[in-house]
Amino acid sequence: HRMREWQVWQDDPAYYNPPSGMLALGYTIPEALLRPGGKELMTVEQHFELVNWQLARIRTGLLLAELTGRVLIMPPLWCGMDRWWAPHTGRIPGSQMPLPIRNCPLDHVFNLEAGFKPERIREYSFLSNKLTPHSVKTSQLNISLP
């Protein structure tokens, strides 16, 4: 999925124009969740508060897409901490990744190999991909959730 997010993976043309149409989800994350107390580094609890706020809206978007038979274009995700399989304080040791992470990879938050329906979603960068037809880019139903 990361290769698609970075627009370096080429799918069959049908991927870029699903017959059922698409639904793009957008929202504005409160600044207090992105920089709690005005600080760059977050606690684990603050990271999960940020991620859970987004998950609640994505869950609604997935439901709306399912009910309307559309494919959901995922929003860009923000993560307060990097994901790594060893203890760390927000960043992988040696990394210069600015926090919070904008355009956090989808697999930082979702287990794409365990029950998630990847054919029912498209990556956040889908509408800026040069392989996505102009007719698709201009015919989307966009929603914003509070």
Side-chain angles (χ1 to χ4, degrees), residues 58-144:
I58 291 169
R59 205 173 296 120
T60 301
L62 287 166
L63 177 63
L64 288 170
E66 186 73 26
L67 290 173
T68 60
R70 295 175 181 266
V71 173
L72 179 67
I73 300 172
M74 296 295 283
L77 294 174
W78 288 77
C79 294
M81 297 183 152
D82 207 349
R83 181 175 177 180
W84 197 38
W85 295 268
H88 63 90
T89 59
R91 284 189 190 95
I92 295 173
S95 170
Q96 300 298 315
M97 176 71 74
L99 296 175
I101 302 168
R102 183 175 191 274
N103 299 333
C104 188
L106 194 62
D107 63 5
H108 267 41
V109 177
F110 291 94
N111 183 348
L112 300 177
E113 298 170 359
F116 201 76
K117 296 180 180 179
E119 69 277 2
R120 299 297 303 153
I121 63 165
R122 295 296 182 267
E123 59 281 0
Y124 71 86
S125 57
F126 180 83
L127 292 175
S128 63
N129 191 321
K130 66 181 180 187
L131 298 173
T132 303
H134 179 73
S135 61
V136 171
K137 293 178 182 183
T138 58
S139 66
Q140 301 304 307
L141 171 62
N142 296 298
I143 63 170
S144 293

Side-chain angles (χ1 to χ4, degrees), residues 15-34:
Y15 177 84
Y16 302 98
N17 193 5
S20 60
M22 289 174 269
L23 183 142
L25 176 63
Y27 47 68
T28 302
I29 301 173
E31 184 67 23
L33 289 175
L34 292 173

